[in-house]
């Protein structure tokens, strides 16, 4: 199977649709960020992996709790 890796950064509240095999959220900002109901402190990360051929269809809600100086980096493994 062939896949590509996608790197994106977000600085505002948004919703991300998985549509990938694996996804990693890294809080690269200076404030807490909420991914669905999970709170990531600065420098913390969460990775959700999948087995070969699996696709994550989850909608992830990113919330900086009203602050404007947050940054979250998202890395996705996407099968072609």
């Amino acid at each position: 199977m062939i896949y590509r890796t996608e790197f994106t950064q977000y600085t505002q509240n948004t919703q991300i649709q998985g549509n990938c095999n694996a996804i990693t959220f890294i809080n690269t900002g200076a404030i807490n960020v909420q991914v669905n109901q999970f709170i990531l402190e600065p420098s913390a990360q969460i990775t959700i992996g999948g087995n070969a051929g699996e696709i994550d269809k989850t909608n992830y809600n990113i919330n900086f709790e009203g602050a404007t100086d947050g940054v979250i980096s998202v890395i996705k493994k996407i099968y072609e």
Side-chain angles (χ1 to χ4, degrees):
M1 300 187 110
I2 298 172
Y3 68 90
R4 64 183 168 86
T5 305
E6 178 182 285
F7 298 85
T8 311
Q9 286 189 325
Y10 298 91
T11 57
Q12 296 180 355
N13 295 347
T14 191
Q15 186 177 73
I16 302 168
Q17 190 169 22
N19 289 334
C20 58
N21 173 258
I23 189 166
T24 299
F25 298 92
I26 307 166
N27 185 350
T28 49
I31 63 169
N32 290 351
V33 61
Q34 189 172 358
V35 178
N36 288 354
Q37 284 74 42
F38 189 82
I39 295 176
L40 284 177
E41 295 179 347
S43 300
Q45 70 179 23
I46 183 172
T47 299
I48 301 160
N51 295 315
E54 292 180 337
I55 303 296
D56 177 358
K57 293 291 191 173
T58 305
N59 288 323
Y60 295 98
N61 293 303
I62 305 300
N63 187 338
F64 294 101
E65 300 176 353
T68 58
D69 56 349
V71 180
I72 189 164
S73 300
V74 179
I75 304 167
K76 290 183 177 183
K77 176 182 176 183
I78 302 170
Y79 283 115
E80 300 279 313

